[in-house]
Amino acid sequence: FSHYDAWAKQGLLTLTDGDLIDYEEIENDLRDFKSRFQVEEVPYDPFQATQLATRMTAEGFTMVEMAPTAKNFSEPMKHLEALVKVRRLAHGKDPILTWMMSNVMLRPDRANRDLYYPVKEKPENKIDGAVALIMAIARAMTGEGGGSVYESRGFLTV
């Protein structure tokens, strides 16, 4: 996992102590994002994140539960795949997202083979950033939360 250290040294990744999710760090990041951006809502996987959602809701965030199911992920994954194929996914050549996207495997739903969801082949093949991107696309596809800021002012480069 030497790539984690390299990414941290480049300022692309924040390392935390231990092997557990540091929810306080996530909460601080959300507060920082809200101070700098117009955060409409925060989709989250309800697995082990109920307290996070409760605390952030109390602070005024709109938290949207989004379980990682084929029903929730299939259409936004198809949309993401289409964006990649036509080279319309711009992510500033971020090496972490590039790596995570390369780890994504599509698994068809057992009940409906037309639906699928993201999985990783091995535990060390992280896909969290790709899953977050899929969740963001899913929420954008709902049309909830008002119009897109990009319609009024265009894209900004960070």
Side-chain angles (χ1 to χ4, degrees):
F1 295 88
S2 62
H3 50 279
Y4 292 150
D5 292 328
W7 292 332
K9 286 177 185 169
Q10 294 173 42
L12 301 173
L13 181 67
T14 302
L15 300 177
T16 58
D17 293 328
D19 294 336
L20 299 175
I21 296 170
D22 186 338
Y23 288 100
E24 187 175 335
E25 188 75 30
I26 295 169
E27 291 171 11
N28 289 335
D29 284 345
L30 286 173
R31 291 180 194 107
D32 177 52
F33 297 153
K34 190 172 185 178
S35 74
R36 296 186 296 135
F37 307 107
Q38 183 178 335
V39 177
E40 295 289 330
E41 60 184 32
V42 179
Y44 70 96
D45 179 348
F47 180 72
Q48 297 183 342
T50 304
Q51 288 182 351
L52 169 78
T54 300
R55 284 193 295 271
M56 294 292 91
T57 299
E59 291 189 30
F61 286 86
T62 301
M63 303 297 290
V64 178
E65 186 176 305
M66 190 172 171
T69 63
K71 180 181 177 187
N72 287 337
F73 279 67
S74 192
E75 286 305 311
M77 285 182 68
K78 291 173 184 175
H79 187 74
L80 176 57
E81 182 180 34
L83 290 173
V84 169
K85 283 183 177 178
V86 297
R87 304 175 85 55
R88 294 216 39 224
L89 177 64
H91 63 78
K93 298 183 182 179
D94 182 282
I96 301 172
L97 185 58
T98 300
W99 174 66
M100 288 185 179
M101 290 291 289
S102 75
N103 293 331
V104 173
M105 309 283 291
L106 303 181
R107 174 161 297 151
D109 185 62
R110 289 186 180 121
N112 183 344
R113 305 294 283 173
D114 292 332
L115 300 178
Y116 49 88
Y117 55 97
V119 295
K120 54 190 172 189
E121 194 171 31
K122 297 182 265 185
E124 60 270 17
N125 291 353
K126 303 301 181 195
I127 63 171
D128 304 84
V131 169
L133 176 58
I134 295 164
M135 291 171 88
I137 291 170
R139 295 306 303 155
M141 290 174 70
T142 67
E144 297 173 12
S148 170
V149 66
Y150 305 115
E151 293 171 3
S152 61
R153 67 144 166 84
F155 290 98
L156 297 177
T157 304
V158 179

